[in-house]
Amino acid sequence: MTRASSERHTFSFEGGDKLTTIGATFFVSYLYHRHVDSTHRNWASIKTQQSRISTINKSEKYHRVWLTHIDSMSETNLNRNTLSLNGATIKKMALALQQLL
């Protein structure tokens, strides 16, 4: 699939296109809120949260795989988010989720 000037990066693992749409940081932040700490609300600042949550709910079979891949992602890339979370924190949250799910 080629696009004109701006080709969208997508994760190359199973269900990666869906995680790209959701955003790895949003995914971890929202699941962390749901399963670990209900007071964690960083994900709530995103205007497109409803469509992202809908995609998360429809993609449950990928959650474990995604969390594993997030653990091996670059912290520098994970730092580039609008949720005020740094890469190291995102990885810690993903690990806590992996241990629960």
Side-chain angles (χ1 to χ4, degrees):
M1 175 170 114
T2 56
R3 299 211 175 182
S5 55
S6 62
E7 191 169 326
R8 183 177 108 144
H9 166 267
T10 55
F11 295 116
S12 59
F13 44 80
E14 188 180 9
D17 57 322
K18 290 173 178 40
L19 183 59
T20 300
T21 299
I22 297 163
T25 302
F26 183 91
F27 168 70
V28 170
S29 181
Y30 180 71
L31 280 195
Y32 195 83
H33 163 77
R34 256 184 43 198
H35 298 290
V36 178
D37 178 4
S38 62
T39 66
H40 173 82
R41 307 265 314 151
N42 293 55
W43 60 272
S45 65
I46 301 299
K47 288 183 174 75
T48 56
Q49 64 179 262
Q50 289 310 317
S51 64
R52 292 177 190 221
I53 290 167
S54 174
T55 304
I56 288 171
N57 291 337
K58 291 183 215 163
S59 307
E60 200 166 333
K61 67 181 179 178
Y62 300 119
H63 290 185
R64 285 187 183 145
V65 171
W66 291 349
L67 289 167
T68 302
H69 283 286
I70 288 166
D71 187 50
S72 62
M73 288 179 185
S74 149
E75 286 187 15
T76 304
N77 287 344
L78 288 171
N79 283 336
R80 296 185 330 208
N81 69 75
T82 57
L83 301 182
S84 301
L85 293 169
N86 68 43
T89 301
I90 295 162
K91 286 187 170 200
K92 284 179 192 157
M93 292 165 67
L95 182 61
L97 286 162
Q98 271 185 294
Q99 292 169 342
L100 270 178
L101 300 179

